[in-house]
Amino acid sequence: MGLITITFGIAIITKADLGTSPITSIPYSLSLIFDGITFGTFTLMFSILQVALQFVILGKDADRFNLMLQFVICFVFGYFVDFAMMAMSWFEPSEYAARVLSVVAGCFVLAFGVYLQLVADVVMVPGDGFVYALKMRLRWEYAKVRFTHDLTLVAIAAVMCLICLGDLGGVREGTLISVACVGLIARQYLNRLGWLTRPLLPPSPEQRLPGPVPSAAWRSVRLRNHRKTTAVKQCASLIFFIDLASYEKR
């Protein structure tokens, strides 16, 4: 659900026509430059590149199972970006104030998707996984890596649009609002909704077992297996949503 919510947040921000979110600024700009290729297709290709870069950055420390899941997520993410854009095709605010409010609303939806992804603690979308890989390699604070990463993507997208289109294209004030707000809003969800999410989350494997506390190595293995099982279930749910979306298209 987190992934689907993220794509609809991206769609709401993008349909406001004030730019797009930082993580999709390059794919969206490419879709404006190459008119025949969809936003979701470029998102898919860019996500695959980010998964490959994680493998290069982390080397032998890379979690191959997690990267394999992220590779699958690339296709799902790209598909749902196009699906969300199609589902929101009717949404075209005309007044500037309404467009700004739409960007803010999209930030809340996108941040809620990020929150759901953090709560699930199974697999990240490739863009977030790439940021985490940089954090592990550079040993910087996550917030610093995230902010630098987002600004870099926005700068690259802006230069591409200026060279190829003669204007900023997919990078506008809505993009900067997203850079400033999404992380802060996601943090507020974590702080204010913790009382609700904790009872809904299944207990971790070590919490379910009676007796002495297991060793750290044993807990790590059990927790990894627990995450793999949960990831497989989530992939099955995503396949169901894709089939449902395809049926609705027909």
Side-chain angles (χ1 to χ4, degrees):
M1 288 301 295
L3 180 65
I4 299 169
T5 306
I6 286 172
T7 58
F8 272 90
I10 291 169
I12 293 170
I13 294 170
T14 306
K15 292 296 290 182
D17 198 25
L18 292 176
T20 188
S21 67
I23 61 172
T24 53
S25 56
I26 290 179
Y28 182 62
S29 297
L30 287 171
S31 72
L32 296 178
I33 295 169
F34 301 97
D35 193 44
I37 304 177
T38 67
F39 182 15
T41 301
F42 276 120
T43 301
L44 162 63
M45 293 189 287
F46 188 65
S47 297
I48 291 175
L49 173 63
Q50 289 177 312
V51 173
L53 288 174
Q54 287 179 64
F55 189 81
V56 173
I57 292 169
L58 295 175
K60 64 180 182 181
D61 296 327
D63 184 337
R64 294 173 185 269
F65 181 79
N66 184 276
L67 291 180
M68 182 186 71
L69 284 177
Q70 284 191 45
F71 182 74
V72 174
I73 291 296
C74 290
F75 293 88
V76 180
F77 190 36
Y79 177 88
F80 272 109
V81 165
D82 277 343
F83 177 76
M85 290 294 289
M86 181 195 70
M88 298 297 298
S89 59
W90 57 272
F91 183 68
E92 294 182 354
S94 55
E95 298 294 330
Y96 184 78
R99 289 156 67 188
V100 172
L101 288 175
S102 298
V103 170
V104 174
C107 287
F108 274 91
V109 175
L110 176 56
F112 189 67
V114 173
Y115 160 75
L116 291 176
Q117 183 179 252
L118 292 172
V119 167
D121 192 25
V122 178
V123 61
M124 300 178 180
V125 295
D128 292 335
F130 178 67
V131 172
Y132 187 75
L134 286 174
K135 172 193 176 298
M136 296 296 291
R137 180 56 60 197
L138 298 174
R139 301 186 185 279
W140 292 359
E141 291 183 2
Y142 181 83
K144 181 179 179 181
V145 178
R146 174 95 253 180
F147 186 72
T148 305
H149 168 266
D150 288 352
L151 282 185
T152 302
L153 293 186
V154 169
I156 292 172
V159 170
M160 287 168 42
C161 288
L162 285 172
I163 293 174
C164 299
L165 300 175
D167 57 38
L168 289 175
V171 179
R172 290 188 55 185
E173 53 269 44
T175 308
L176 300 180
I177 292 173
S178 300
V179 171
C181 292
V182 171
L184 294 175
I185 297 171
R187 189 177 302 168
Q188 289 301 310
Y189 282 134
L190 284 168
N191 292 337
R192 296 180 182 276
L193 297 181
W195 63 271
L196 175 64
T197 53
R198 277 191 294 270
L200 297 176
L201 288 175
S204 62
E206 61 270 23
Q207 290 174 325
R208 292 197 294 265
L209 295 173
V213 177
S215 68
W218 187 90
R219 290 200 310 271
S220 176
V221 171
R222 288 299 299 270
L223 186 57
R224 193 180 304 119
N225 290 336
H226 173 68
R227 288 179 175 177
K228 287 180 180 179
T229 302
T230 309
V232 171
K233 290 179 180 178
Q234 286 201 347
C235 286
S237 299
L238 287 170
I239 291 170
F240 168 76
F241 276 111
I242 290 174
D243 289 341
L244 180 62
S246 300
Y247 176 79
E248 289 179 349
K249 280 185 179 180
R250 291 195 297 267

